[in-house]
Amino acid sequence: MDLPIPPHLRGPQAYTQAEIPPFVQYTSPVPTTTSSTGGPYLPLDLIARICSFITAPGDIARLTRTSRLLYYMCLPQLYQNVSLHSYAEIRYVNGRPEGFGSGSPLMMALNRLVTGTQAVVVQSLRLWGEWQELGVEDFAKGRVPDNSMMLNMLLRVAVDKTPKLQEFAWELDCKPLKTLYQGLSLKSTLTKLTIRFPKSRLPRPSVVIPPMPSLKQLRVMDIDPLCCPDDISLLLLGSKQLEDVRMHFSPRMRAEAEATLNFETYWGRCWSAGYTPKLKHLGMQNWYGVNNTGWTNLVDMPTLTSGCLLDCFGGATGGSANVYVDDTWKAIPQRKNGHFRTVRINEFSPSLVELLASSSGLENVYIVNTATFSSTDSPATSTPGTLPTPDLSPSPNACTLSSIGASYISALSQSHGSTLRHLLLSDKWPLSSTQLSSLVRLCPNLTQLGFALGFSGTTTVRLLIPFLPQLFAIRILDNEQLRRNDTNVNDEERKVAIGRDMAEIEMSCLRWVGVGEIVYEAKGMLDDPESPCGNRRDIVNVSSERVEGAEIWGLASGNLMAG
């Protein structure tokens, strides 16, 4: 039976008695009329508000089976975000294969979207994992295998039946086909598209992806010219509302010193048409190609406000075999506008120091620790969404890295100190007490700060923190000096000390504290007779995944798609 969409998913207006179907009113254990004593029962819009705080799919599914009323109200929430995982091998539960008696869970879920009524409330659809392609030898004969063709046809039908689809992600180890792209191009509601290309070199049809009129975010992963990726140049040209483009290239080219990438492959159609995308964010990872066009022709610089470049130019930690190509990027052009606000990088380059020193207005700077990358990561073993990047860098002298770090810190604090809000430095740059004092003095508006200690004891940190009254999160990065400082301190002693210090210096804004890999959350006040002020903040351990609103954790990884 087709059910109307509840008002809480159509707008902020409250439910009315007429909007509840009669069969729901008559059979629901939740009263929908006034009580016999004349007092009102719990309003339905308030019930909907309470249900909106339940996020776990299992909990929502159990709630929909509680009553017909809750089924009617929670079913749209259950199917709002659909994520389907495909497995290459059959998985067994209690000795029986998943889907025993029918099809695989993936196929049964797609069947439900195609034949049921749930597709009308789907806003986000994601497919990820491994797809078992049968008959891959057909590619060499010039024909697409039947099961790959059927998957794309089934998805095309599912997409056509989702009038509210806003986000679509293809993260399988095979490619989408033209029929699916055509269906996506017809969705006027689609604003975000994520595509992961396969890593195998099987001959496959390469599709020119059509423009999508409402697309605002484009994320493309594992681009490798030798693996038949699809052509995104027409998509960049025709999607006029694009604001955020992130391109992750296969690490193979940099690992093998194969400079086969060229900007013209992706922006050539835009250049021929005289069009420059008006992006707000541009992110690239593992780019390896000769600089023959520069950056100024890629995007409309006055509109660009943030950028993320990971493993693109080598710098001081670049591989020896890549130096000939990386050196073509040394001459970084001067900025032409004052709108750039956020930068996220993981390479150390003297040229970038010059650019930072000659510009102003940066608000958020995140230096990603290159040690977070691993050449052993792969989509089959890593967390979905994380992107592997090989660690091909030699081990430069610690003094060299520290010297470059000092130049970065000086350029940031002197040219951008008054505007900086978030600052995450590298753990390869241990700060002396003098450097930390200068940083706090020149950057008084910091709300998030991450740095590595270069001195023993924490007295200096305690004395300087009050000079950052807006500080919301602080993170002391893990290094050898921190481990020496914490040799004789256990976790409970540290929490008590932090709580007393925060109460004494009245850091009411400070909520998150990181010490190495440990994260603490500061909560309310506790009585403490041994504290100089008679109380202390309640400090509790939390996982880094639970940190809210602190980008110095969320953007510290090598995941280009974060944020």
Side-chain angles (χ1 to χ4, degrees):
M1 178 179 296
D2 293 343
L3 297 176
I5 300 174
H8 74 281
L9 293 177
R10 301 200 307 260
Q13 69 271 28
Y15 286 88
T16 64
Q17 190 67 25
E19 290 175 323
I20 304 301
F23 74 90
V24 174
Q25 299 182 40
Y26 299 150
T27 60
S28 173
V30 180
T32 57
T33 60
T34 57
S35 67
S36 59
T37 59
Y41 285 103
L42 194 63
L44 292 174
D45 57 340
L46 185 55
I47 297 176
R49 178 65 174 168
I50 295 173
C51 293
S52 68
F53 288 96
I54 303 174
T55 57
D59 293 338
I60 301 174
R62 284 184 285 272
L63 193 61
T64 58
R65 296 195 293 267
T66 303
S67 70
R68 290 196 179 189
L69 176 62
L70 291 177
Y71 175 86
Y72 167 75
M73 299 179 70
C74 297
L75 190 67
Q77 185 179 347
L78 178 63
Y79 285 94
Q80 183 174 343
N81 300 305
V82 177
S83 179
L84 304 179
H85 191 177
S86 175
Y87 297 92
E89 304 294 336
I90 296 178
R91 301 197 309 166
Y92 290 84
V93 179
N94 298 326
R96 290 187 172 183
E98 284 187 325
F100 182 75
S102 57
S104 69
L106 175 68
M107 287 293 101
M108 297 308 295
L110 288 176
N111 174 68
R112 190 61 179 170
L113 288 178
V114 171
T115 61
T117 60
Q118 289 81 1
V120 297
V121 297
V122 174
Q123 298 182 17
S124 173
L125 178 59
R126 177 186 181 222
L127 290 93
W128 60 285
E130 300 173 323
W131 174 253
Q132 188 176 7
E133 281 188 301
L134 301 177
V136 291
E137 62 276 3
D138 288 357
F139 283 121
K141 300 176 183 179
R143 194 179 77 171
V144 178
D146 288 343
N147 75 326
S148 296
M149 197 69 194
M150 291 298 294
L151 173 64
N152 279 266
M153 292 168 60
L154 189 59
L155 279 171
R156 168 65 188 272
V157 176
V159 167
D160 288 346
K161 291 175 69 71
T162 52
K164 295 186 176 183
L165 187 65
Q166 299 177 9
E167 301 179 8
F168 181 84
W170 176 286
E171 298 180 45
L172 297 172
D173 58 353
C174 60
K175 277 179 51 177
L177 298 178
K178 185 176 181 179
T179 180
L180 179 57
Y181 284 129
Q182 289 176 335
L184 293 172
S185 66
L186 299 176
K187 306 299 293 184
S188 60
T189 58
L190 188 68
T191 59
K192 182 178 179 180
L193 176 65
T194 301
I195 304 174
R196 182 191 292 273
F197 293 126
K199 296 183 177 181
S200 63
R201 296 190 182 182
L202 289 173
R204 300 173 184 268
S206 184
V207 179
V208 178
I209 305 178
M212 301 178 188
S214 302
L215 194 65
K216 294 184 178 181
Q217 299 181 52
L218 174 63
R219 303 185 176 191
V220 188
M221 297 178 278
D222 290 330
I223 304 174
D224 189 333
L226 298 184
C227 297
C228 304
D230 294 328
D231 188 350
I232 66 171
S233 60
L234 184 59
L235 181 63
L236 292 174
L237 172 62
S239 304
K240 303 299 184 181
Q241 296 189 39
L242 267 178
E243 298 177 350
D244 184 344
V245 173
R246 308 187 190 195
M247 303 172 67
H248 172 270
F249 298 88
S250 169
R252 183 191 62 81
M253 284 81 74
R254 182 166 287 273
E256 299 178 4
E258 182 183 291
T260 54
L261 298 177
N262 192 314
F263 281 146
E264 188 173 0
T265 305
Y266 312 101
W267 274 271
R269 291 179 188 265
C270 294
W271 296 342
S272 299
Y275 171 70
T276 305
K278 299 183 182 299
L279 302 180
K280 295 181 180 180
H281 177 86
L282 176 64
M284 300 182 70
Q285 187 169 8
N286 297 327
W287 170 265
Y288 188 67
V290 176
N291 180 11
N292 50 18
T293 57
W295 289 98
T296 55
N297 296 327
L298 300 186
V299 297
D300 187 24
M301 296 303 291
T303 65
L304 193 67
T305 59
S306 67
C308 177
L309 300 174
L310 303 175
D311 294 298
C312 289
F313 310 118
T317 57
S320 301
N322 308 127
V323 64
Y324 309 110
V325 173
D326 289 338
D327 278 355
T328 63
W329 293 96
K330 280 187 173 180
I332 301 178
Q334 297 294 317
R335 255 181 50 228
K336 296 183 178 180
N337 66 88
H339 302 286
F340 207 74
R341 294 291 178 260
T342 302
V343 62
R344 183 167 166 244
I345 56 176
N346 72 329
E347 295 170 312
F348 315 138
S349 168
S351 301
L352 187 55
V353 174
E354 296 178 8
L355 180 60
L356 291 173
S358 61
S359 59
S360 61
L362 281 177
E363 297 179 0
N364 310 306
V365 177
Y366 309 98
I367 309 296
V368 178
N369 180 14
T370 54
T372 59
F373 301 127
S374 171
S375 58
T376 61
D377 289 339
S378 67
T381 59
S382 60
T383 303
T386 59
L387 305 174
T389 302
D391 189 3
L392 304 172
S393 305
S395 299
N397 186 281
C399 294
T400 301
L401 291 179
S402 182
S403 175
I404 295 177
S407 301
Y408 268 86
I409 296 169
S410 176
L412 287 170
S413 58
Q414 294 183 15
S415 300
H416 308 271
S418 60
T419 57
L420 272 178
R421 298 295 185 272
H422 301 172
L423 179 59
L424 175 63
L425 301 175
S426 171
D427 62 356
K428 303 295 190 301
W429 304 342
L431 300 187
S432 65
S433 57
T434 302
Q435 288 176 315
L436 183 59
S437 301
S438 176
L439 183 66
V440 171
R441 177 174 55 85
L442 295 174
C443 308
N445 298 314
L446 284 174
T447 61
Q448 299 183 32
L449 174 62
F451 62 95
L453 286 177
F455 52 89
S456 59
T458 58
T459 304
T460 303
V461 178
R462 180 181 179 278
L463 293 175
L464 292 174
I465 291 302
F467 293 95
L468 298 175
Q470 303 177 49
L471 195 64
F472 174 71
I474 184 171
R475 183 179 182 187
I476 302 178
L477 303 176
D478 187 27
N479 66 353
E480 187 61 32
Q481 182 62 58
L482 178 64
R483 289 189 287 272
R484 285 199 297 266
N485 291 352
D486 286 351
T487 302
N488 300 319
V489 180
N490 61 44
D491 190 60
E492 290 301 322
E493 293 175 342
R494 184 190 293 117
K495 288 193 290 186
V496 171
I498 293 175
R500 290 174 178 173
D501 288 343
M502 292 179 65
E504 186 176 355
I505 60 181
E506 298 182 355
M507 291 296 295
S508 58
C509 294
L510 187 58
R511 180 182 177 186
W512 305 103
V513 178
V515 181
E517 299 300 323
I518 304 174
V519 184
Y520 302 107
E521 181 180 5
K523 295 191 173 183
M525 303 296 291
L526 298 175
D527 293 333
D528 186 354
E530 299 182 9
S531 173
C533 59
N535 52 34
R536 60 181 172 87
R537 290 283 292 275
D538 183 19
I539 307 297
V540 297
N541 294 81
V542 295
S543 63
S544 57
E545 292 79 12
R546 290 187 57 192
V547 177
E548 301 174 353
E551 286 77 9
I552 56 175
W553 275 278
L555 298 180
S557 69
N559 183 8
L560 178 68
M561 307 305 165

